Amino acid sequence: MTRAQRLLTLIQILRNHRYPVTGAHLAGELGISLRTLYRDIATLQEQGAPIEGEAGLGYVLRPGFLLPPLMFSKDEIEALVLGARWVAHCGDEYLADAARHTLGKITAVLPEALRHTPDATTLLIGPSPERISGGADLAVLRRAIRAERKLTFDYRDANDACSARTVWPFALGFFDNMRLLVAWCELRQDFRNFRTDRIGKLSVAEQRYPRSRQALLREWRECEGIPPQ
């Protein structure tokens, strides 16, 4: 591994940790001495990487720092291409367009030796059921989740019973035959999943819901026994 590759790997390791990581742990992951690790940290800081911390306390990379997308391995490229193709094939109109544009941007910045890999990958997306139509506009749901806005809608359940709901949306689940909105329901005072094709008369409130979507997602995962991704 060249020093340039090691520095990029060090940044990636720091990005994978939300809390300070000791120098000994970082040095162990990279297979280098502590002295070399401290030298690498100093080099990255001099080049503008927002790494905070010091020897004996640990290091953390402040959120928002972006890596140049030029050092993907072939496995990483195939993973990105496969994911983008799935979204382009199975996502709603806006997500599909975003996936295609993303794939084009990734290809444009790859080194010449790897530029053919996206087109040559042998990982393919299989056929899926017909595109899901009707129900809630997924783009509206995503915007409400990002803005942490309450949603009000009419909902028809599996028994065709209708009810008016006000919910705090915080996640969308994409499945081959359905899309699920995950939210805290004020009516039930609990977490509920709503099939988006059964949602009608949707409106987004100006009012933000009282908790962050990250906190709701974390609590929902704990209730469902779902490990963090």
Side-chain angles (χ1 to χ4, degrees):
M1 181 186 298
T2 66
R3 186 165 190 250
Q5 291 173 323
R6 189 175 74 239
L7 292 176
L8 287 171
T9 301
L10 174 55
I11 290 177
Q12 189 59 50
I13 293 172
L14 287 168
R15 289 188 68 187
N16 290 338
H17 289 83
R18 298 173 58 187
Y19 302 103
V21 191
T22 66
H25 180 86
L26 294 170
E29 283 205 46
L30 292 166
I32 58 178
S33 68
L34 264 177
R35 177 175 296 182
T36 300
L37 183 280
Y38 294 147
R39 190 162 55 241
D40 286 351
I41 291 285
T43 298
L44 290 171
Q45 289 172 329
E46 290 170 2
Q47 294 177 354
I51 299 172
E52 298 178 344
E54 58 184 82
L57 297 178
Y59 297 92
V60 64
L61 182 68
R62 287 207 310 270
F65 182 71
L66 300 178
L67 279 173
L70 301 176
M71 297 300 293
F72 294 130
S73 69
K74 289 186 178 181
D75 283 343
E76 290 168 340
I77 294 170
E78 287 192 332
L80 288 169
V81 171
L82 185 64
R85 285 179 175 172
W86 188 92
V87 174
H89 187 59
C90 300
D92 61 79
E93 176 185 356
Y94 298 102
L95 274 184
D97 284 343
R100 286 189 284 268
H101 292 157
T102 299
L103 194 53
K105 290 179 179 179
I106 291 171
T107 302
V109 299
L110 289 173
E112 187 66 33
L114 296 176
R115 197 161 293 169
H116 72 283
T117 303
D119 290 329
T121 181
T122 55
L123 304 181
L124 306 176
I125 299 297
S128 63
E130 292 183 10
R131 188 176 291 273
I132 299 168
S133 60
D137 185 333
L138 299 189
V140 173
L141 298 182
R142 292 199 306 275
R143 287 196 295 270
I145 290 171
R146 285 195 293 265
E148 300 181 345
R149 297 287 193 245
K150 291 186 178 185
L151 292 174
T152 300
F153 52 78
D154 293 335
Y155 190 70
R156 176 176 51 84
D157 66 18
N159 297 318
D160 222 26
C162 293
S163 59
R165 305 296 183 103
T166 298
V167 305
W168 310 349
F170 58 87
L172 271 175
F174 286 76
F175 300 86
D176 282 342
N177 61 344
M178 72 178 75
R179 306 291 181 258
L180 288 180
L181 175 69
V182 188
W184 174 267
C185 178
E186 292 188 353
L187 177 65
R188 304 303 184 198
Q189 286 294 296
D190 201 356
F191 295 111
R192 287 291 188 271
N193 300 329
F194 301 93
R195 284 183 53 150
T196 61
D197 57 332
R198 294 176 178 169
I199 291 176
K201 295 183 181 179
L202 173 69
S203 64
V204 182
E206 289 296 323
Q207 180 185 10
R208 296 184 64 172
Y209 48 76
R211 300 178 59 194
S212 73
R213 64 179 184 272
Q214 291 91 346
L216 289 170
L217 180 60
R218 182 169 57 251
E219 184 177 335
W220 172 75
R221 285 184 179 280
E222 291 174 354
C223 291
E224 296 292 328
I226 302 173
Q229 294 182 347

